[in-house]
PDB file of all heavy atoms in Angstrom:
ATOM      1  N   GLY A 285      95.820  85.886 111.455  1.00 90.00           N
ATOM      2  CA  GLY A 285      95.167  86.256 112.651  1.00 90.00           C
ATOM      3  C   GLY A 285      94.079  85.265 113.130  1.00 90.00           C
ATOM      4  O   GLY A 285      93.323  85.545 114.075  1.00 90.00           O
ATOM      5  N   SER A 286      94.003  84.150 112.408  1.00 91.00           N
ATOM      6  CA  SER A 286      92.847  83.247 112.676  1.00 91.00           C
ATOM      7  C   SER A 286      93.178  82.046 113.455  1.00 91.00           C
ATOM      8  O   SER A 286      92.325  81.514 114.234  1.00 91.00           O
ATOM      9  CB  SER A 286      92.182  82.838 111.327  1.00 91.00           C
ATOM     10  OG  SER A 286      93.115  81.951 110.629  1.00 91.00           O
ATOM     11  N   THR A 287      94.405  81.546 113.403  1.00 89.00           N
ATOM     12  CA  THR A 287      94.730  80.216 113.896  1.00 89.00           C
ATOM     13  C   THR A 287      94.448  80.181 115.437  1.00 89.00           C
ATOM     14  O   THR A 287      93.904  79.168 115.940  1.00 89.00           O
ATOM     15  CB  THR A 287      96.226  79.849 113.718  1.00 89.00           C
ATOM     16  OG1 THR A 287      96.440  79.885 112.243  1.00 89.00           O
ATOM     17  CG2 THR A 287      96.498  78.468 114.207  1.00 89.00           C
ATOM     18  N   ARG A 288      94.743  81.201 116.219  1.00 87.00           N
ATOM     19  CA  ARG A 288      94.551  81.184 117.617  1.00 87.00           C
ATOM     20  C   ARG A 288      93.377  81.990 118.017  1.00 87.00           C
ATOM     21  O   ARG A 288      93.184  82.313 119.258  1.00 87.00           O
ATOM     22  CB  ARG A 288      95.836  81.733 118.342  1.00 87.00           C
ATOM     23  CG  ARG A 288      97.068  80.926 118.079  1.00 87.00           C
ATOM     24  CD  ARG A 288      98.208  81.360 118.941  1.00 87.00           C
ATOM     25  NE  ARG A 288      99.418  80.688 118.677  1.00 87.00           N
ATOM     26  CZ  ARG A 288     100.584  80.789 119.264  1.00 87.00           C
ATOM     27  NH1 ARG A 288     100.673  81.732 120.209  1.00 87.00           N
ATOM     28  NH2 ARG A 288     101.698  80.100 119.022  1.00 87.00           N
ATOM     29  N   LEU A 289      92.550  82.360 117.116  1.00 90.00           N
ATOM     30  CA  LEU A 289      91.360  83.112 117.442  1.00 90.00           C
ATOM     31  C   LEU A 289      90.168  82.204 117.701  1.00 90.00           C
ATOM     32  O   LEU A 289      89.591  81.582 116.813  1.00 90.00           O
ATOM     33  CB  LEU A 289      90.991  84.036 116.261  1.00 90.00           C
ATOM     34  CG  LEU A 289      90.045  85.089 116.419  1.00 90.00           C
ATOM     35  CD1 LEU A 289      90.495  86.131 117.421  1.00 90.00           C
ATOM     36  CD2 LEU A 289      89.671  85.790 115.088  1.00 90.00           C
ATOM     37  N   ASN A 290      89.874  82.087 119.014  1.00 92.00           N
ATOM     38  CA  ASN A 290      88.804  81.113 119.336  1.00 92.00           C
ATOM     39  C   ASN A 290      87.393  81.757 119.222  1.00 92.00           C
ATOM     40  O   ASN A 290      87.272  82.917 118.914  1.00 92.00           O
ATOM     41  CB  ASN A 290      89.017  80.633 120.821  1.00 92.00           C
ATOM     42  CG  ASN A 290      88.980  81.730 121.871  1.00 92.00           C
ATOM     43  OD1 ASN A 290      88.216  82.716 121.736  1.00 92.00           O
ATOM     44  ND2 ASN A 290      89.760  81.608 122.980  1.00 92.00           N
ATOM     45  N   SER A 291      86.421  80.900 119.450  1.00 93.00           N
ATOM     46  CA  SER A 291      85.009  81.370 119.201  1.00 93.00           C
ATOM     47  C   SER A 291      84.534  82.494 120.073  1.00 93.00           C
ATOM     48  O   SER A 291      83.833  83.408 119.720  1.00 93.00           O
ATOM     49  CB  SER A 291      84.109  80.127 119.377  1.00 93.00           C
ATOM     50  OG  SER A 291      84.163  79.656 120.699  1.00 93.00           O
ATOM     51  N   ASP A 292      85.122  82.559 121.417  1.00 94.00           N
ATOM     52  CA  ASP A 292      84.763  83.584 122.311  1.00 94.00           C
ATOM     53  C   ASP A 292      85.265  84.992 121.805  1.00 94.00           C
ATOM     54  O   ASP A 292      84.618  86.021 121.834  1.00 94.00           O
ATOM     55  CB  ASP A 292      85.286  83.378 123.692  1.00 94.00           C
ATOM     56  CG  ASP A 292      84.519  82.224 124.366  1.00 94.00           C
ATOM     57  OD1 ASP A 292      83.317  81.945 123.996  1.00 94.00           O
ATOM     58  OD2 ASP A 292      85.050  81.569 125.350  1.00 94.00           O
ATOM     59  N   ALA A 293      86.510  84.950 121.337  1.00 93.00           N
ATOM     60  CA  ALA A 293      87.097  86.223 120.816  1.00 93.00           C
ATOM     61  C   ALA A 293      86.416  86.634 119.485  1.00 93.00           C
ATOM     62  O   ALA A 293      86.149  87.835 119.360  1.00 93.00           O
ATOM     63  CB  ALA A 293      88.545  85.950 120.520  1.00 93.00           C
ATOM     64  N   ARG A 294      86.003  85.645 118.685  1.00 95.00           N
ATOM     65  CA  ARG A 294      85.292  86.078 117.406  1.00 95.00           C
ATOM     66  C   ARG A 294      83.919  86.649 117.825  1.00 95.00           C
ATOM     67  O   ARG A 294      83.504  87.584 117.212  1.00 95.00           O
ATOM     68  CB  ARG A 294      85.042  84.762 116.624  1.00 95.00           C
ATOM     69  CG  ARG A 294      86.348  84.304 115.876  1.00 95.00           C
ATOM     70  CD  ARG A 294      86.006  83.041 115.103  1.00 95.00           C
ATOM     71  NE  ARG A 294      87.326  82.388 114.692  1.00 95.00           N
ATOM     72  CZ  ARG A 294      87.828  82.597 113.480  1.00 95.00           C
ATOM     73  NH1 ARG A 294      87.255  83.417 112.564  1.00 95.00           N
ATOM     74  NH2 ARG A 294      88.956  81.950 113.106  1.00 95.00           N
ATOM     75  N   LYS A 295      83.283  86.101 118.805  1.00 95.00           N
ATOM     76  CA  LYS A 295      81.953  86.620 119.300  1.00 95.00           C
ATOM     77  C   LYS A 295      82.095  88.031 119.798  1.00 95.00           C
ATOM     78  O   LYS A 295      81.275  88.919 119.534  1.00 95.00           O
ATOM     79  CB  LYS A 295      81.334  85.666 120.384  1.00 95.00           C
ATOM     80  CG  LYS A 295      80.024  86.175 120.820  1.00 95.00           C
ATOM     81  CD  LYS A 295      79.557  85.226 121.896  1.00 95.00           C
ATOM     82  CE  LYS A 295      78.171  85.705 122.443  1.00 95.00           C
ATOM     83  NZ  LYS A 295      77.611  84.828 123.577  1.00 95.00           N
ATOM     84  N   LEU A 296      83.170  88.295 120.551  1.00 95.00           N
ATOM     85  CA  LEU A 296      83.370  89.652 121.120  1.00 95.00           C
ATOM     86  C   LEU A 296      83.570  90.701 120.030  1.00 95.00           C
ATOM     87  O   LEU A 296      82.954  91.764 120.059  1.00 95.00           O
ATOM     88  CB  LEU A 296      84.564  89.660 121.991  1.00 95.00           C
ATOM     89  CG  LEU A 296      84.887  90.880 122.793  1.00 95.00           C
ATOM     90  CD1 LEU A 296      83.754  91.324 123.677  1.00 95.00           C
ATOM     91  CD2 LEU A 296      86.229  90.800 123.545  1.00 95.00           C
ATOM     92  N   VAL A 297      84.292  90.321 118.980  1.00 95.00           N
ATOM     93  CA  VAL A 297      84.557  91.263 117.844  1.00 95.00           C
ATOM     94  C   VAL A 297      83.284  91.382 117.010  1.00 95.00           C
ATOM     95  O   VAL A 297      82.926  92.479 116.615  1.00 95.00           O
ATOM     96  CB  VAL A 297      85.720  90.783 117.015  1.00 95.00           C
ATOM     97  CG1 VAL A 297      85.938  91.714 115.782  1.00 95.00           C
ATOM     98  CG2 VAL A 297      87.002  90.711 117.779  1.00 95.00           C
ATOM     99  N   GLU A 298      82.528  90.320 116.954  1.00 96.00           N
ATOM    100  CA  GLU A 298      81.226  90.370 116.266  1.00 96.00           C
ATOM    101  C   GLU A 298      80.289  91.336 117.010  1.00 96.00           C
ATOM    102  O   GLU A 298      79.525  92.042 116.318  1.00 96.00           O
ATOM    103  CB  GLU A 298      80.663  88.970 116.188  1.00 96.00           C
ATOM    104  CG  GLU A 298      79.382  88.783 115.284  1.00 96.00           C
ATOM    105  CD  GLU A 298      78.944  87.392 115.248  1.00 96.00           C
ATOM    106  OE1 GLU A 298      78.908  86.693 116.335  1.00 96.00           O
ATOM    107  OE2 GLU A 298      78.699  86.944 114.065  1.00 96.00           O
ATOM    108  N   GLU A 299      80.353  91.319 118.219  1.00 95.00           N
ATOM    109  CA  GLU A 299      79.420  92.285 119.020  1.00 95.00           C
ATOM    110  C   GLU A 299      79.777  93.707 118.882  1.00 95.00           C
ATOM    111  O   GLU A 299      79.009  94.572 119.050  1.00 95.00           O
ATOM    112  CB  GLU A 299      79.502  91.866 120.543  1.00 95.00           C
ATOM    113  CG  GLU A 299      78.777  90.567 120.858  1.00 95.00           C
ATOM    114  CD  GLU A 299      79.023  90.103 122.309  1.00 95.00           C
ATOM    115  OE1 GLU A 299      79.845  90.770 122.941  1.00 95.00           O
ATOM    116  OE2 GLU A 299      78.497  89.096 122.715  1.00 95.00           O
ATOM    117  N   LEU A 300      81.037  93.917 118.418  1.00 95.00           N
ATOM    118  CA  LEU A 300      81.427  95.305 118.067  1.00 95.00           C
ATOM    119  C   LEU A 300      80.941  95.741 116.733  1.00 95.00           C
ATOM    120  O   LEU A 300      81.104  96.896 116.341  1.00 95.00           O
ATOM    121  CB  LEU A 300      82.987  95.412 118.155  1.00 95.00           C
ATOM    122  CG  LEU A 300      83.605  95.298 119.498  1.00 95.00           C
ATOM    123  CD1 LEU A 300      85.169  95.204 119.310  1.00 95.00           C
ATOM    124  CD2 LEU A 300      83.190  96.521 120.407  1.00 95.00           C
ATOM    125  N   GLY A 301      80.410  94.770 115.929  1.00 95.00           N
ATOM    126  CA  GLY A 301      79.841  95.164 114.680  1.00 95.00           C
ATOM    127  C   GLY A 301      80.516  94.420 113.468  1.00 95.00           C
ATOM    128  O   GLY A 301      80.137  94.689 112.316  1.00 95.00           O
ATOM    129  N   SER A 302      81.479  93.580 113.730  1.00 96.00           N
ATOM    130  CA  SER A 302      82.156  92.841 112.591  1.00 96.00           C
ATOM    131  C   SER A 302      81.163  91.854 111.873  1.00 96.00           C
ATOM    132  O   SER A 302      80.515  91.071 112.574  1.00 96.00           O
ATOM    133  CB  SER A 302      83.382  92.135 113.130  1.00 96.00           C
ATOM    134  OG  SER A 302      83.923  91.334 112.014  1.00 96.00           O
ATOM    135  N   ASN A 303      81.186  91.855 110.584  1.00 96.00           N
ATOM    136  CA  ASN A 303      80.462  90.931 109.772  1.00 96.00           C
ATOM    137  C   ASN A 303      81.287  89.843 109.221  1.00 96.00           C
ATOM    138  O   ASN A 303      80.799  88.900 108.547  1.00 96.00           O
ATOM    139  CB  ASN A 303      79.660  91.631 108.675  1.00 96.00           C
ATOM    140  CG  ASN A 303      78.613  92.604 109.136  1.00 96.00           C
ATOM    141  OD1 ASN A 303      77.890  92.293 110.069  1.00 96.00           O
ATOM    142  ND2 ASN A 303      78.618  93.770 108.555  1.00 96.00           N
ATOM    143  N   GLU A 304      82.629  89.974 109.365  1.00 96.00           N
ATOM    144  CA  GLU A 304      83.596  89.052 108.672  1.00 96.00           C
ATOM    145  C   GLU A 304      84.431  88.290 109.638  1.00 96.00           C
ATOM    146  O   GLU A 304      85.104  87.385 109.201  1.00 96.00           O
ATOM    147  CB  GLU A 304      84.525  89.886 107.774  1.00 96.00           C
ATOM    148  CG  GLU A 304      83.801  90.630 106.680  1.00 96.00           C
ATOM    149  CD  GLU A 304      83.255  89.753 105.643  1.00 96.00           C
ATOM    150  OE1 GLU A 304      83.484  88.509 105.647  1.00 96.00           O
ATOM    151  OE2 GLU A 304      82.554  90.229 104.677  1.00 96.00           O
ATOM    152  N   ILE A 305      84.392  88.594 110.974  1.00 96.00           N
ATOM    153  CA  ILE A 305      85.372  87.889 111.891  1.00 96.00           C
ATOM    154  C   ILE A 305      85.040  86.395 111.913  1.00 96.00           C
ATOM    155  O   ILE A 305      85.892  85.574 112.053  1.00 96.00           O
ATOM    156  CB  ILE A 305      85.206  88.566 113.284  1.00 96.00           C
ATOM    157  CG1 ILE A 305      86.346  88.054 114.222  1.00 96.00           C
ATOM    158  CG2 ILE A 305      83.811  88.226 113.930  1.00 96.00           C
ATOM    159  CD1 ILE A 305      87.700  88.540 113.781  1.00 96.00           C
ATOM    160  N   ARG A 306      83.820  86.021 111.752  1.00 95.00           N
ATOM    161  CA  ARG A 306      83.430  84.571 111.681  1.00 95.00           C
ATOM    162  C   ARG A 306      83.982  83.913 110.436  1.00 95.00           C
ATOM    163  O   ARG A 306      84.172  82.632 110.355  1.00 95.00           O
ATOM    164  CB  ARG A 306      81.930  84.401 111.765  1.00 95.00           C
ATOM    165  CG  ARG A 306      81.285  84.889 113.010  1.00 95.00           C
ATOM    166  CD  ARG A 306      81.357  83.830 114.178  1.00 95.00           C
ATOM    167  NE  ARG A 306      80.691  84.235 115.315  1.00 95.00           N
ATOM    168  CZ  ARG A 306      80.743  83.512 116.462  1.00 95.00           C
ATOM    169  NH1 ARG A 306      81.399  82.411 116.551  1.00 95.00           N
ATOM    170  NH2 ARG A 306      80.054  83.989 117.478  1.00 95.00           N
ATOM    171  N   ASN A 307      84.209  84.716 109.396  1.00 95.00           N
ATOM    172  CA  ASN A 307      84.688  84.140 108.171  1.00 95.00           C
ATOM    173  C   ASN A 307      86.181  84.131 107.982  1.00 95.00           C
ATOM    174  O   ASN A 307      86.687  83.680 106.956  1.00 95.00           O
ATOM    175  CB  ASN A 307      84.084  84.943 106.945  1.00 95.00           C
ATOM    176  CG  ASN A 307      82.494  84.971 107.021  1.00 95.00           C
ATOM    177  OD1 ASN A 307      81.914  83.957 107.301  1.00 95.00           O
ATOM    178  ND2 ASN A 307      81.999  86.084 106.625  1.00 95.00           N
ATOM    179  N   MET A 308      86.913  84.679 108.915  1.00 94.00           N
ATOM    180  CA  MET A 308      88.359  84.726 108.808  1.00 94.00           C
ATOM    181  C   MET A 308      88.936  83.428 108.811  1.00 94.00           C
ATOM    182  O   MET A 308      88.663  82.509 109.580  1.00 94.00           O
ATOM    183  CB  MET A 308      88.874  85.620 109.971  1.00 94.00           C
ATOM    184  CG  MET A 308      90.442  85.879 109.770  1.00 94.00           C
ATOM    185  SD  MET A 308      91.147  86.731 111.137  1.00 94.00           S
ATOM    186  CE  MET A 308      90.326  88.298 111.117  1.00 94.00           C
ATOM    187  N   LYS A 309      89.880  83.232 107.830  1.00 93.00           N
ATOM    188  CA  LYS A 309      90.564  81.971 107.621  1.00 93.00           C
ATOM    189  C   LYS A 309      92.112  82.157 107.781  1.00 93.00           C
ATOM    190  O   LYS A 309      92.525  83.239 108.032  1.00 93.00           O
ATOM    191  CB  LYS A 309      90.256  81.403 106.214  1.00 93.00           C
ATOM    192  CG  LYS A 309      88.743  81.257 105.986  1.00 93.00           C
ATOM    193  CD  LYS A 309      88.482  80.748 104.553  1.00 93.00           C
ATOM    194  CE  LYS A 309      87.029  80.685 104.269  1.00 93.00           C
ATOM    195  NZ  LYS A 309      86.726  80.331 102.838  1.00 93.00           N
ATOM    196  N   PHE A 310      92.828  81.096 107.546  1.00 93.00           N
ATOM    197  CA  PHE A 310      94.322  81.094 107.681  1.00 93.00           C
ATOM    198  C   PHE A 310      94.837  82.168 106.630  1.00 93.00           C
ATOM    199  O   PHE A 310      94.586  82.063 105.464  1.00 93.00           O
ATOM    200  CB  PHE A 310      94.855  79.755 107.373  1.00 93.00           C
ATOM    201  CG  PHE A 310      96.404  79.730 107.447  1.00 93.00           C
ATOM    202  CD1 PHE A 310      97.099  79.934 108.617  1.00 93.00           C
ATOM    203  CD2 PHE A 310      97.119  79.491 106.306  1.00 93.00           C
ATOM    204  CE1 PHE A 310      98.337  79.863 108.731  1.00 93.00           C
ATOM    205  CE2 PHE A 310      98.512  79.464 106.337  1.00 93.00           C
ATOM    206  CZ  PHE A 310      99.139  79.665 107.542  1.00 93.00           C
ATOM    207  N   ARG A 311      95.580  83.120 107.225  1.00 92.00           N
ATOM    208  CA  ARG A 311      96.207  84.237 106.478  1.00 92.00           C
ATOM    209  C   ARG A 311      95.231  85.060 105.747  1.00 92.00           C
ATOM    210  O   ARG A 311      95.657  85.766 104.724  1.00 92.00           O
ATOM    211  CB  ARG A 311      97.288  83.601 105.546  1.00 92.00           C
ATOM    212  CG  ARG A 311      98.543  83.273 106.300  1.00 92.00           C
ATOM    213  CD  ARG A 311      99.595  82.719 105.394  1.00 92.00           C
ATOM    214  NE  ARG A 311     100.800  82.532 106.183  1.00 92.00           N
ATOM    215  CZ  ARG A 311     101.923  81.825 105.752  1.00 92.00           C
ATOM    216  NH1 ARG A 311     101.922  81.379 104.568  1.00 92.00           N
ATOM    217  NH2 ARG A 311     102.958  81.627 106.578  1.00 92.00           N
TER     218      ARG A 311
END
Side-chain angles (χ1 to χ4, degrees):
S286 68
T287 302
R288 298 188 182 184
L289 193 65
N290 62 33
S291 59
D292 289 338
R294 290 177 188 265
K295 182 181 178 182
L296 183 61
V297 176
E298 189 176 46
E299 290 172 352
L300 290 172
S302 172
N303 296 316
E304 299 290 354
I305 193 67
R306 296 277 185 185
N307 301 322
M308 189 185 294
K309 303 173 184 177
F310 179 67
R311 285 184 174 165

